[in-house]
Amino acid sequence: MAQPTIKGDQLILRLTWSEKVAARRGRVRVPLSAVRTAVIEPDWWRALRGRCGRGVWAPGVVCVGVRRHVAGRDFVAVRPGAPVLCIGLLAPSPFRLLVVSVPDPDATAAWLRSVAPNLVAAAGGGLWRSLPVPEESPEAGNVT
């Protein structure tokens, strides 16, 4: 399972060996200031948005890699069967959402909420919420 850590002003997702191979990348780095939300999605499959991109997609087994949608790209490292941590991001992050399976999503979300400077409360004030669908706008254009 991916392990989120903080180094300086960066949020880093350290991937397991098998996740690195599947995603074809060593780790994911995003600016900590870009972290906007940290919510838990109880149904792992509801967090998957858009089309499959680079990675390994075996629904019900493992989903690791980049997904593309009208609002940008999401990075996913999910093992089905358990709730997932969904980290919403703003520019200048290369991704709009990080969706990861972590051993204790409640504790990880609470930790992230305590260290991220620009985090906003989830709708309704809780950690367990469904993800919003990205707003479609003409300026978003098609993602290739």
Side-chain angles (χ1 to χ4, degrees):
M1 293 186 172
Q3 181 61 45
T5 61
I6 293 179
K7 186 173 183 181
D9 63 346
Q10 299 279 310
L11 173 65
I12 301 170
L13 279 184
R14 295 182 183 203
L15 305 174
T16 65
W17 182 85
S18 60
E19 289 170 338
K20 288 178 185 180
V21 171
R24 295 187 223 162
R25 65 183 325 138
R27 60 182 67 155
V28 176
R29 290 179 179 260
V30 296
L32 188 57
S33 60
V35 175
R36 191 73 172 147
T37 59
V39 297
I40 300 163
E41 175 56 59
D43 300 317
W44 65 270
W45 54 270
R46 295 186 88 188
L48 303 181
R49 308 185 299 181
R51 296 184 309 259
C52 300
R54 173 186 262 187
V56 173
W57 309 100
V61 180
V62 66
C63 295
V64 179
V66 176
R67 296 184 68 91
R68 298 179 183 277
H69 51 81
V70 70
R73 302 181 313 155
D74 294 346
F75 182 80
V76 176
V78 172
R79 294 185 187 259
V84 294
L85 176 63
C86 302
I87 303 168
L89 303 166
L90 299 172
S93 171
F95 301 106
R96 296 296 137 240
L97 189 67
L98 302 177
V99 181
V100 294
S101 294
V102 293
D104 188 353
D106 290 309
T108 306
W111 164 76
L112 194 54
R113 293 178 103 197
S114 71
V115 297
N118 297 327
L119 204 75
V120 296
L127 282 177
W128 290 79
R129 297 286 172 230
S130 293
L131 294 172
V133 175
E135 293 180 9
E136 295 183 17
S137 62
E139 55 271 12
N142 289 335
V143 177
T144 59

